[in-house]
Amino acid sequence: MIIKYIKIDKNFIETLSHKIYTLKMNEKKFIIMIFIIGFFSFSVFSSSGKIFNQKLTDYEKNVLNSGDLLIRKTNYSRNICLEPVSPAAEKICTEYKKLKPKYLAEVIQIRKISDNPDLPQKLLETLYNINNYSNIVYYSEYNDSYGKLYNSAEIKETIHYSDRDEINAVINMDPFGDFSENIKIWTAQNEILYIANNSQKLKYHDFFTVIGKEKFKISVLLLKDDENWILYGIGGINAPLLPFVTDRIRLSFNNRIKTFCNYIYKQF
């Protein structure tokens, strides 16, 4: 647990104690209850304070504290809220800074370890089960319709290295058709890192290139922080900002990243 020290004037403490002492019993109980609630609400996020930087707003902190899914429409790498607190987190920060994305989104959730003791094992099972990615349902806000995020996902090769596994797969996704994807998975004590990267160009209906090779990344990071698991997802594309359709592309991309990460998180 990270303890944040706050300097408080001694006279203030003595004055506050005297005022509480002079209150009626019911009033004392009420004030003490409010203090306890406030303290624990503060400390839930304090334990994760080192992992995120000041780019995270108070509203976003409250969303994370509640256990809800936080979706950040980050847009550019300079707005990433993750701090390089571990080798895996540092790799995320470096990879996406190097990517120089024009479209970027973060998807974050905090889970209590006491409620999810086997979360790392279940996360790994889900990440390795790439063939099941074809079951991910995607909602298009622009078209107001449901479809598949990936029409198909097939593993072609798995290579085991001393520090990671690499999986080469073929993904079929509208409107790009088939394309090759390289997936790297690192595991360490209480830490998992998944990075998927397109290993060939993506073409719009096989007509013209819209995303260059290794310009489309999706990542999932698991970190342990005191009594919590931190699930951190991020996706980015380095592609041109096209006049008149940039907002539509950004909406579609953000929804795709949200859909993928939400699918992964819901499997455990």
Side-chain angles (χ1 to χ4, degrees):
M1 175 69 70
I2 297 173
I3 305 297
K4 295 189 174 181
Y5 294 96
I6 303 172
K7 187 176 181 181
I8 300 176
D9 184 76
K10 182 180 179 181
N11 292 331
F12 170 77
I13 295 293
E14 291 177 351
T15 302
L16 181 62
S17 299
H18 176 72
K19 288 185 177 293
I20 292 176
Y21 179 78
T22 58
L23 292 173
K24 295 179 181 178
M25 182 57 66
N26 288 339
E27 292 172 330
K28 288 180 184 178
K29 289 180 179 178
F30 177 76
I31 289 177
I32 291 170
M33 180 181 68
I34 294 297
F35 174 79
I36 291 172
I37 292 172
F39 173 79
F40 281 104
S41 297
F42 172 79
S43 60
V44 166
F45 193 79
S46 295
S47 66
S48 305
K50 64 179 180 181
I51 291 178
F52 303 113
N53 57 38
Q54 294 179 348
K55 301 291 175 62
L56 210 60
T57 67
D58 289 340
Y59 169 78
E60 290 171 333
K61 292 176 184 178
N62 289 334
V63 172
L64 288 177
N65 279 334
S66 70
D68 288 341
L69 194 70
L70 173 65
I71 300 157
R72 300 189 77 237
K73 300 173 183 179
T74 314
N75 296 335
Y76 301 105
S77 59
R78 63 177 178 268
N79 298 324
I80 289 174
C81 69
L82 181 69
E83 284 286 287
V85 294
S86 72
E90 184 176 10
K91 187 169 186 63
I92 287 273
C93 295
T94 301
E95 288 274 334
Y96 283 86
K97 185 177 181 180
K98 182 180 177 182
L99 179 64
K100 298 179 180 178
K102 302 298 190 301
Y103 308 93
L104 187 72
E106 296 169 287
V107 183
I108 312 167
Q109 192 171 45
I110 294 178
R111 302 274 188 93
K112 289 186 178 298
I113 293 176
S114 58
D115 296 335
N116 304 271
D118 56 350
L119 189 149
Q121 292 78 16
K122 290 183 177 180
L123 174 60
L124 279 175
E125 289 173 9
T126 302
L127 293 175
Y128 276 101
N129 200 354
I130 293 164
N131 293 336
N132 272 3
Y133 290 2
S134 59
N135 296 327
I136 302 175
V137 177
Y138 167 71
Y139 173 68
S140 170
E141 288 189 34
Y142 185 82
N143 295 317
D144 190 25
S145 62
Y146 287 91
K148 287 189 173 185
L149 181 62
Y150 305 123
N151 296 316
S152 62
E154 183 181 357
I155 295 174
K156 292 297 185 181
E157 181 184 30
T158 301
I159 308 171
H160 303 286
Y161 294 97
S162 59
D163 64 333
R164 70 188 185 279
D165 286 345
E166 285 198 26
I167 301 168
N168 293 312
V170 174
I171 307 294
N172 184 285
M173 179 172 64
D174 292 334
F176 310 114
D178 287 341
F179 65 92
S180 298
E181 186 169 75
N182 175 260
I183 298 165
K184 296 182 177 72
I185 301 176
W186 292 264
T187 58
Q189 187 175 8
N190 300 318
E191 191 169 278
I192 294 169
L193 175 60
Y194 165 103
I195 298 180
N197 200 5
N198 66 308
S199 48
Q200 72 176 85
K201 297 177 180 178
L202 271 64
K203 294 187 175 183
Y204 182 78
H205 290 300
D206 207 28
F207 182 58
F208 60 91
T209 298
V210 291
I211 302 174
K213 180 181 177 180
E214 298 182 350
K215 299 298 183 182
F216 179 15
K217 294 181 185 291
I218 300 178
S219 305
V220 176
L221 172 66
L222 175 70
L223 294 171
K224 180 179 180 292
D225 184 56
D226 295 329
E227 300 175 355
N228 296 317
W229 295 120
I230 309 295
L231 285 160
Y232 176 85
I234 183 172
I237 295 178
N238 184 334
L241 297 174
L242 301 175
F244 309 111
V245 295
T246 294
D247 289 342
R248 177 180 173 183
I249 294 172
R250 181 166 284 132
L251 175 65
S252 174
F253 172 72
N254 287 340
N255 282 343
R256 288 176 185 272
I257 299 303
K258 176 184 72 175
T259 299
F260 178 79
C261 292
N262 200 27
Y263 166 81
I264 297 296
Y265 298 174
K266 282 188 173 181
Q267 301 309 301
F268 39 81

